[in-house]
Amino acid sequence: KQNMLWGLASEDDIPRDRSLLIGYAALEQIARMPREEMNKYYADAWMNISNPDPRIWQVHMSMAAEYRRIQPDADSYTVYIDAGTGKVLDVTKY
């Protein structure tokens, strides 16, 4: 297992709220999720500082519990974002 170190964004990093917006944009553009489905997803972001370059926002997106009862097999996603540039590095589905 990898050790993960979590921390706070620095002045050089994009803010957490922007990382969440980028995460939703990645769902729409990369995962091809329709906008009307995105409001069913809960998103939260953590700053991964395990490696100092690049620092990475990990935005976890999962269907909210009230909708999961209707769609129990719905996919969840993690969007990895370079905290310095805002560039999406990867999107994983689980």
Side-chain angles (χ1 to χ4, degrees):
K1 284 189 169 185
Q2 289 181 318
N3 289 329
M4 296 289 184
L5 298 175
W6 307 104
L8 301 173
S10 72
E11 292 180 6
D12 297 329
D13 296 324
I14 63 169
R16 181 179 175 275
D17 58 345
R18 183 159 174 211
S19 73
L20 292 169
L21 292 174
I22 293 169
Y24 278 111
L27 274 188
E28 181 179 26
Q29 295 173 5
I30 297 170
R32 303 280 190 239
M33 180 172 295
R35 274 192 185 188
E36 43 289 340
E37 289 293 309
M38 280 191 256
N39 68 335
K40 298 177 182 177
Y41 277 76
Y42 170 78
D44 204 355
W46 295 278
M47 173 67 72
N48 183 336
I49 61 169
S50 299
N51 294 317
D53 190 31
R55 292 161 51 97
I56 296 174
W57 278 112
Q58 285 186 221
V59 180
H60 299 280
M61 311 186 86
S62 148
M63 187 170 277
E66 61 191 80
Y67 298 109
R68 190 157 292 278
R69 285 180 287 154
I70 299 165
Q71 290 180 271
D73 59 342
D75 294 322
S76 295
Y77 301 86
T78 300
V79 181
Y80 299 88
I81 302 166
D82 182 313
T85 66
K87 179 181 175 187
V88 174
L89 302 172
D90 194 18
V91 176
T92 58
K93 180 170 58 171
Y94 59 97

